[in-house]
């Protein structure tokens, strides 16, 4: 069955035509109104557009710049940021944190937003509002922020203090608990300051990020230390002020050191390089067969005093070297020389308990006390040095044509040579239960040199 064909009457065609023309007229009118409305906003910011929460609707560029500057940027410059660090408070003004800013670009972006849209889209944006936020770009005063944070860190940062041992007047041992330290996290604080300075114009308080530093040696670690297991002292009464300062400085470096079971003590690592910048002075140093001037002269007395105290604990040195010439402050075979980056004095704590080193000076006497557990006191250690051979020095006489005849000049002092064996006896209940050779040292003899004048 064929579908029917309907023919529009003339009247229907007229109605359709009228409807189309009416629609065109309505659309044209709507478009015209939208165009006309849009023209009103050509030179101002569209509705709903803001910068830093400041509504710029209907504002010209110039008005927008002035408004953002007065209500935002100028207020940021007056803004105060309070930084809380532990029990201290630091205040800084925004004017010191901001080096420059760019309002123009932000206002231009706000002004141009939507201007490239078609007529109808512009009309819709104007009617409903853009709801668009722009931000002013800032450059921070990086150097000042770093300097400001560093100044806070300088006051807050504090290294932890290890637990220490004190000998009480009655001879008992007191363990003083450790003190934790603090460290400002500089980069995090710098970022926090930058973040809040431009967030709002209101004064702001932030908490500085602080890392708590725990001491490596705590009271619990030292709780087993209750006894002075060994002591030794030497004097430096005849030393120069420079040599005395070196001894006292080196003693301060090793004082308070705690050696846990299995740890090795290195004199060079603890005392460090002997330089003028670190407080060491020039004084006499044994170099080969003579005494010369060098930074840190005298600190071998500290290493030797410590060596003698260590021998009395029963511990054995890991590394120890004697001088080329005999020392005046300890007996032969009982010295321990050191030289930065060359010769070290080392010993290992082979006990099951921590070993605490106390080194102090008083009236030009160096005292070293070693503390550990009282169970180690059951044994006593007696140190003897056996000089089993002495090699007499000789003197070489040299004619000198530059000296008047008969005049004598000593160029180098001669020194006898020695062969020394150091023995340690282990005593329990008054009985020697063991004997061991600690070292067998040879001090080379030094030939003296004397010049005799032969000049006529």
């Amino acid at each position: 069955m064929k579908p029917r064909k309907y023919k529009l009457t003339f009247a229907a065609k007229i109605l359709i035509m009228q409807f189309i023309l009416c629609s065109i007229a309505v659309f044209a009118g709507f478009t015209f109104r939208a165009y006309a409305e849009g023209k009103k906003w050509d030179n101002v910011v569209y509705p709903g557009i803001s910068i830093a929460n400041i509504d710029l609707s209907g504002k010209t560029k110039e008005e927008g710049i002035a408004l953002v500057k007065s209500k935002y940027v100028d207020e940021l410059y007056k803004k105060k940021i309070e930084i809380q660090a532990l029990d201290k408070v630091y205040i800084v003004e925004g004017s010191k944190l901001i080096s420059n800013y760019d309002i123009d670009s932000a206002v231009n972006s706000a002004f141009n937003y939507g201007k490239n849209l078609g007529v109808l889209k512009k009309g819709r944006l104007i009617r409903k509002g853009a709801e668009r936020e722009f931000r002013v770009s800032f450059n921070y005063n990086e150097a000042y922020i770093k300097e400001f944070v560093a100044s806070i860190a300088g006051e807050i940062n504090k290294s932890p203090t290890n637990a220490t041992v004190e000998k009480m007047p009655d001879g008992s041992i007191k363990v003083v608990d450790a003190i934790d330290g603090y460290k400002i996290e500089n980069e995090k604080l710098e970022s926090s300051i930058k973040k809040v300075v431009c967030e709002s114009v209101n004064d702001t308080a932030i908490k500085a990020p602080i890392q708590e530093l725990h001491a490596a040696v705590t009271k619990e670690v030292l709780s087993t230390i209750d006894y002075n297991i060994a002591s030794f002292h030497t004097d430096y009464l005849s030393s120069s002020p420079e040599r005395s300062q070196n001894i006292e400085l080196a003693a301060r470096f090793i004082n308070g050191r705690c050696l846990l079971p299995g740890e090795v003590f290195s004199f060079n690592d603890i005392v460090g390089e002997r330089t003028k910048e670190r407080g060491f002075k020039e004084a006499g140093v044994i170099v080969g067969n003579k005494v010369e001037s060098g930074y840190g002269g005298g600190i071998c007395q500290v290493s030797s005093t410590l060596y003698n105290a260590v021998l009395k604990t029963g511990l054995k040195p890991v590394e120890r070297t004697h001088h080329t010439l005999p020392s005046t402050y300890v007996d032969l075979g009982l010295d321990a020389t050191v030289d930065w980056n060359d010769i070290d004095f080392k010993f290992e704590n082979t006990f099951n308990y921590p070993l605490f080193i106390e080194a102090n000076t008083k009236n030009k006497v160096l005292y070293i006390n070693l503390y550990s557990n009282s169970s180690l006191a059951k044994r006593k250690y007696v140190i003897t040095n056996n000089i089993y051979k002495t090699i007499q020095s000789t003197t070489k006489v040299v004619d000198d044509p530059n000296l008047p005849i008969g005049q004598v000049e000593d160029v180098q002092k001669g020194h006898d040579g020695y062969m020394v064996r150091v023995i340690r006896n282990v005593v329990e209940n008054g009985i020697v239960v063991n004997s061991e050779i600690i070292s067998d040292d040879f001090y080379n003899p030094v030939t003296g040199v004397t010049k005799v004048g032969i000049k006529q």
Side-chain angles (χ1 to χ4, degrees):
M1 188 175 175
K2 293 183 178 180
R4 290 182 182 181
K5 292 183 180 179
Y6 295 95
K7 292 185 179 180
L8 294 176
T9 63
F10 180 75
K13 291 180 179 179
I14 293 297
L15 285 173
I16 291 170
M17 185 62 68
Q18 287 176 343
F19 175 77
I20 292 172
L21 291 174
C22 182
S23 298
I24 292 171
V26 169
F27 180 76
F30 180 80
T31 302
F32 178 77
R33 282 196 301 274
Y35 175 78
E37 185 67 20
K39 288 295 288 182
K40 296 177 183 178
W41 292 85
D42 277 354
N43 296 316
V44 294
V45 179
Y46 284 156
I49 295 177
S50 60
I51 294 178
N53 293 321
I54 300 170
D55 186 12
L56 298 186
S57 302
K59 299 292 188 291
T60 64
K61 284 185 182 181
E62 293 74 18
E63 290 171 337
I65 291 171
L67 193 61
V68 172
K69 185 177 185 306
S70 64
K71 286 193 173 184
Y72 179 54
V73 174
D74 290 350
E75 293 301 312
L76 285 183
Y77 269 63
K78 299 175 191 175
K79 174 179 180 174
K80 288 182 174 59
I81 298 174
E82 181 183 284
I83 298 161
Q84 300 163 355
L86 298 182
D87 58 346
K88 297 178 185 278
V89 174
Y90 303 87
I91 296 175
V92 62
E93 295 179 356
S95 59
K96 295 181 178 179
L97 305 174
I98 301 169
S99 59
N100 54 63
Y101 53 89
D102 185 3
I103 297 178
D104 291 3
S105 295
V107 172
N108 281 334
S109 297
F111 177 83
N112 291 324
Y113 184 79
K115 293 291 195 294
N116 60 340
L117 297 175
V119 173
L120 295 180
K121 288 185 178 181
K122 282 183 181 179
R124 191 179 305 114
L125 187 150
I126 292 168
R127 288 194 309 276
K128 293 185 176 181
E131 296 184 5
R132 184 66 188 269
E133 174 86 10
F134 289 91
R135 300 188 66 84
V136 176
S137 63
F138 290 90
N139 286 325
Y140 301 104
N141 191 338
E142 299 283 355
Y144 178 80
I145 293 173
K146 284 187 178 296
E147 182 183 339
F148 177 66
V149 169
S151 69
I152 296 176
E155 294 187 21
I156 298 298
N157 287 2
K158 175 185 165 188
S159 297
T161 303
N162 286 334
T164 58
V165 172
E166 287 184 4
K167 189 175 181 180
M168 307 307 288
D170 62 357
S172 63
I173 303 299
K174 177 185 176 183
V175 178
V176 181
D177 204 355
I179 301 173
D180 288 336
Y182 301 96
K183 185 179 185 299
I184 292 281
E185 297 183 73
N186 290 35
E187 291 184 2
K188 286 186 179 179
L189 181 53
E190 289 170 16
S191 298
S192 296
I193 290 173
K194 292 176 188 176
K195 180 181 177 182
V196 301
V197 70
C198 299
E199 269 187 346
S200 74
V201 297
N202 299 320
D203 292 345
T204 308
I206 60 174
K207 210 171 179 183
I210 298 176
Q211 181 183 359
E212 192 171 2
L213 307 176
H214 300 292
V217 181
T218 63
K219 188 174 183 178
E220 290 71 28
V221 171
L222 301 187
S223 61
T224 57
I225 296 178
D226 59 1
Y227 193 76
N228 181 350
I229 62 172
S231 297
F232 199 81
H233 69 273
T234 58
D235 73 74
Y236 51 101
L237 299 172
S238 61
S239 294
S240 66
E242 292 77 14
R243 187 176 186 277
S244 299
Q245 177 168 322
N246 292 337
I247 290 173
E248 290 159 10
L249 181 57
R252 287 199 294 273
F253 278 122
I254 69 172
N255 181 49
R257 296 287 172 172
C258 182
L259 215 59
L260 299 179
E263 288 187 337
V264 174
F265 176 95
S266 163
F267 189 90
N268 280 342
D269 286 349
I270 299 300
V271 175
E273 188 174 2
R274 280 68 95 175
T275 64
K276 179 181 179 181
E277 293 73 22
R278 298 185 69 239
F280 289 97
K281 301 289 185 181
E282 287 194 73
V285 180
I286 296 176
V287 179
N289 294 330
K290 55 186 177 179
V291 177
E292 298 180 356
S293 182
Y295 282 106
I299 67 168
C300 288
Q301 182 164 347
V302 181
S303 57
S304 296
T305 306
L306 177 61
Y307 174 54
N308 280 264
V310 168
L311 288 181
K312 294 174 72 175
T313 66
L315 295 174
K316 289 184 178 180
V318 174
E319 183 178 332
R320 171 259 170 187
T321 305
H322 66 83
H323 289 85
T324 52
L325 298 177
S327 302
T328 58
Y329 42 82
V330 290
D331 292 337
L332 284 168
L334 295 174
D335 56 329
T337 185
V338 288
D339 184 30
W340 174 250
N341 269 344
D342 187 17
I343 303 171
D344 202 356
F345 168 55
K346 296 179 180 179
F347 66 92
E348 181 183 357
N349 177 13
T350 55
F351 298 143
N352 294 324
Y353 309 98
L355 180 71
F356 187 84
I357 302 171
E358 179 187 59
N360 54 62
T361 58
K362 184 178 181 181
N363 299 326
K364 300 193 83 170
V365 178
L366 168 64
Y367 299 91
I368 291 183
N369 298 304
L370 302 179
Y371 299 91
S372 192
N373 189 262
S374 54
S375 64
L376 301 172
K378 295 176 182 177
R379 287 186 165 191
K380 300 294 181 185
Y381 299 89
V382 180
I383 314 300
T384 58
N385 67 323
N386 177 22
I387 304 171
Y388 60 89
K389 187 173 184 179
T390 300
I391 302 98
Q392 298 293 328
S393 67
T394 58
T395 300
K396 181 180 180 181
V397 179
V398 179
D399 292 338
D400 190 337
N402 296 314
L403 288 177
I405 191 168
Q407 184 172 331
V408 178
E409 182 180 317
D410 290 328
V411 177
Q412 180 172 288
K413 185 180 178 181
H415 292 279
D416 291 343
Y418 303 96
M419 298 183 76
V420 186
R421 182 174 292 123
V422 173
I423 298 172
R424 180 166 62 188
N425 291 321
V426 184
V427 181
E428 285 186 15
N429 299 320
I431 301 173
V432 177
V433 297
N434 189 32
S435 184
E436 58 181 337
I437 296 174
I438 297 298
S439 62
D440 214 330
D441 297 335
F442 176 47
Y443 296 84
N444 287 311
V446 178
T447 301
V449 178
T450 300
K451 289 183 179 181
V452 177
I454 60 174
K455 182 180 179 182
Q456 296 294 331

CSV table of all heavy atoms in Angstrom, one decimal, residues 17 60 272 284 296 337 349 456:
chain,number,residue,atom,x,y,z
A,17,MET,N,6.1,30.0,7.2
A,17,MET,CA,7.0,31.1,6.9
A,17,MET,C,7.0,32.2,7.9
A,17,MET,O,8.0,32.7,8.3
A,17,MET,CB,6.5,31.7,5.5
A,17,MET,CG,7.4,32.8,5.0
A,17,MET,SD,9.1,32.2,4.7
A,17,MET,CE,8.8,31.1,3.3
A,60,THR,N,38.1,48.8,35.0
A,60,THR,CA,39.0,48.9,34.0
A,60,THR,C,40.4,48.4,34.4
A,60,THR,O,40.6,48.1,35.6
A,60,THR,CB,39.2,50.4,33.6
A,60,THR,OG1,39.7,51.1,34.7
A,60,THR,CG2,37.9,51.0,33.2
A,272,GLY,N,91.5,15.1,65.9
A,272,GLY,CA,91.5,15.8,64.6
A,272,GLY,C,92.8,16.4,64.2
A,272,GLY,O,93.8,16.3,64.9
A,284,GLY,N,107.4,22.2,70.6
A,284,GLY,CA,108.4,21.2,70.2
A,284,GLY,C,107.8,19.8,69.9
A,284,GLY,O,107.0,19.3,70.6
A,296,GLY,N,100.7,21.5,67.4
A,296,GLY,CA,100.2,20.4,68.2
A,296,GLY,C,101.3,19.7,69.0
A,296,GLY,O,101.1,18.7,69.6
A,337,THR,N,103.4,7.6,70.5
A,337,THR,CA,103.4,8.9,69.6
A,337,THR,C,102.3,8.9,68.6
A,337,THR,O,101.8,7.8,68.3
A,337,THR,CB,104.8,8.9,68.9
A,337,THR,OG1,104.9,10.2,68.2
A,337,THR,CG2,105.0,7.8,67.9
A,349,ASN,N,87.6,-1.6,72.7
A,349,ASN,CA,86.9,-2.0,73.9
A,349,ASN,C,86.4,-3.4,73.7
A,349,ASN,O,85.4,-3.7,73.1
A,349,ASN,CB,85.7,-1.1,74.2
A,349,ASN,CG,85.0,-1.5,75.4
A,349,ASN,OD1,85.4,-2.3,76.2
A,349,ASN,ND2,83.8,-0.9,75.6
A,456,GLN,N,142.7,29.8,61.7
A,456,GLN,CA,143.8,30.5,62.3
A,456,GLN,C,143.4,32.0,62.5
A,456,GLN,O,142.7,32.6,61.7
A,456,GLN,CB,145.0,30.5,61.3
A,456,GLN,CG,145.5,29.1,61.1
A,456,GLN,CD,146.1,28.5,62.4
A,456,GLN,OE1,146.6,29.2,63.3
A,456,GLN,NE2,146.0,27.2,62.6
